[in-house]
Amino acid sequence: MLTALMDKNHFCNLAENWRREDLVQLRSKETFRCPVCQEEVIMKLGTKKIWHFAHKKDSSCRDEYEPESMYHLFGKKQLYRWLEKQNYVIELEKHLPILNQRPDLYLPSQSPPVAFEFQCSSLSAELIYKRTSSYLQGAIHPIWILGEKRISHLNGATYRLDDLALNALQYPPDDSRRPYLLYYCPLTSAFTILHSIIPYSSQTIFAARKTIPLHKAHFPMVLPSPKSLPTDFISFWIQKVFKNRLYLHVNRDESVVLMKHRLIDSGAVPSLFPIEAGVPSNYMYWFETPSFVWQTILLIDIIKPLPVGASFQFKDVYKPFLHLIKTYRIKVRHNLHSDSHLSYAIMDYLKCLRKAGLLGWGGKGRFVKKRDPELPKTVLEAKDKLQGMILTCNEG
Ligand SMILES: [Zn+2]
């Protein structure tokens, strides 16, 4: 840690500009204590590592924030200086006893107060969930900044999302509702933003990437918010759905197996599921199961049985779909942020089907079925038509 308590409850903050000799002198006459457990801590003024405080070896401190790597301390110090330059009131490693939290950086004067967590090491899903919800309950806005070395790039526009990243997703104030992830690298002094995130499956996401050097960044961050999806993003997405079709016969995922049985029962070849399925849409965060699965099920079990010309309300689709989620073991995610809902993802998809001409407006909030979902004759035809679908849906 970078802060410790001294006599008279003063703090010693090592993120500030100190001369080594001043600290050596301070160290010779002061005792430093851990703000969490009150045990004595040692000021470390080595030449290779960032100056910091450390508990004694036999410490019983149960501060879950320790141990901290040098990468973490270095980043925390840089972020502290970055906010300081922008004249924010910052409390470093502020212990919030009511919440039992100690954010790396805390901005008490913001409304609501902001807690920055610079997280470089792994953290269990349970712990990060607990921390985030505790901040939200305490009316504090948590901002997770992950160590850049945690970015797990697969290829092209795809990244792997671990439990930590999943829980660190943040939502822009605009209505795209495409979450983003914020990373920081203390070695290059730059932020990396993975934005326009659309989850593909339980652990794979599609994202666009932008790097901003620390000296050009300002808090609050201005996020890139492209209206439409980046082109390479779309081509990688199409390729991914295409591969899912090609290898569908060996896909053993529970909901995929159930979907395949359903398609066979209806007389269709499983790999030739409707061309309208597999579309990226906003609010996709809600699904762990890939879109080609839940969209196929919605098309085959809800839209297809309706006669052409039938009109229906949103709830006529949404309510039966909730049952199908159970029947087909579709995995949905839980969301800490109350201003979004699973139904938004379904509504977004219906709007997309309307743009694609499968549905129309019936007036007074009703949809009209205009045609049946289209089953492709070959996987290549499906690939070409999916591109058209995505481009159509992606239009403003
Ligand atoms: Zn302690």
Side-chain angles (χ1 to χ4, degrees), residues 1 34-39 41 55 59-63 66:
M1 57 193 159
C34 165
V36 179
C37 68
Q38 307 292 325
E39 272 177 35
V41 289
H55 283 89
S59 159
S60 57
C61 181
R62 291 202 286 181
D63 178 13
E66 289 219 25

Side-chain angles (χ1 to χ4, degrees), residues 142-316:
I143 296 183
W144 291 89
I145 302 175
L146 307 182
E148 204 208 40
K149 59 181 182 178
R150 297 199 62 88
I151 296 183
S152 174
H153 187 206
L154 296 171
N155 57 47
T158 58
Y159 297 83
R160 183 168 295 285
L161 195 72
D162 60 11
D163 279 341
L164 176 58
L166 178 65
N167 284 282
L169 284 174
Q170 293 173 79
Y171 295 82
D174 67 25
D175 63 357
S176 78
R177 307 309 293 160
R178 287 186 210 129
Y180 64 94
L181 283 167
L182 195 54
Y183 292 87
Y184 183 69
C185 176
L187 306 177
T188 57
S189 297
F191 288 105
T192 295
I193 304 173
L194 294 186
H195 64 93
S196 304
I197 289 177
I198 298 191
Y200 186 85
S201 58
S202 60
Q203 292 191 322
T204 305
I205 57 164
F206 278 70
R209 182 174 185 150
K210 185 181 169 73
T211 299
I212 307 172
L214 188 64
H215 68 274
K216 286 192 178 163
H218 296 277
F219 179 76
M221 303 277 268
V222 180
L223 291 161
S225 60
K227 284 228 159 36
S228 47
L229 297 171
T231 319
D232 66 326
F233 187 117
I234 295 175
S235 53
F236 271 103
W237 184 281
I238 290 162
Q239 194 60 26
K240 184 96 179 152
V241 178
F242 179 60
K243 277 194 182 158
N244 277 139
R245 280 189 193 269
L246 286 179
Y247 295 105
L248 199 68
H249 57 292
V250 289
N251 194 325
R252 296 275 175 271
D253 181 87
E254 201 179 12
S255 53
V256 172
V257 171
L258 291 165
M259 178 194 93
K260 286 194 278 192
H261 286 157
R262 177 69 183 89
L263 284 161
I264 291 166
D265 286 347
S266 72
V269 178
S271 62
L272 301 177
F273 56 79
I275 63 152
E276 294 89 354
V279 180
S281 63
N282 297 331
Y283 312 102
M284 206 92 114
Y285 164 82
W286 284 100
F287 289 95
E288 251 184 60
T289 300
S291 65
F292 77 88
V293 182
W294 66 262
Q295 291 173 358
T296 292
I297 288 159
L298 189 149
L299 290 166
I300 296 295
D301 274 1
I302 300 178
I303 305 292
K304 192 154 187 291
L306 295 170
V308 171
S311 90
F312 57 89
Q313 286 181 300
F314 175 69
K315 66 172 169 41
D316 302 328

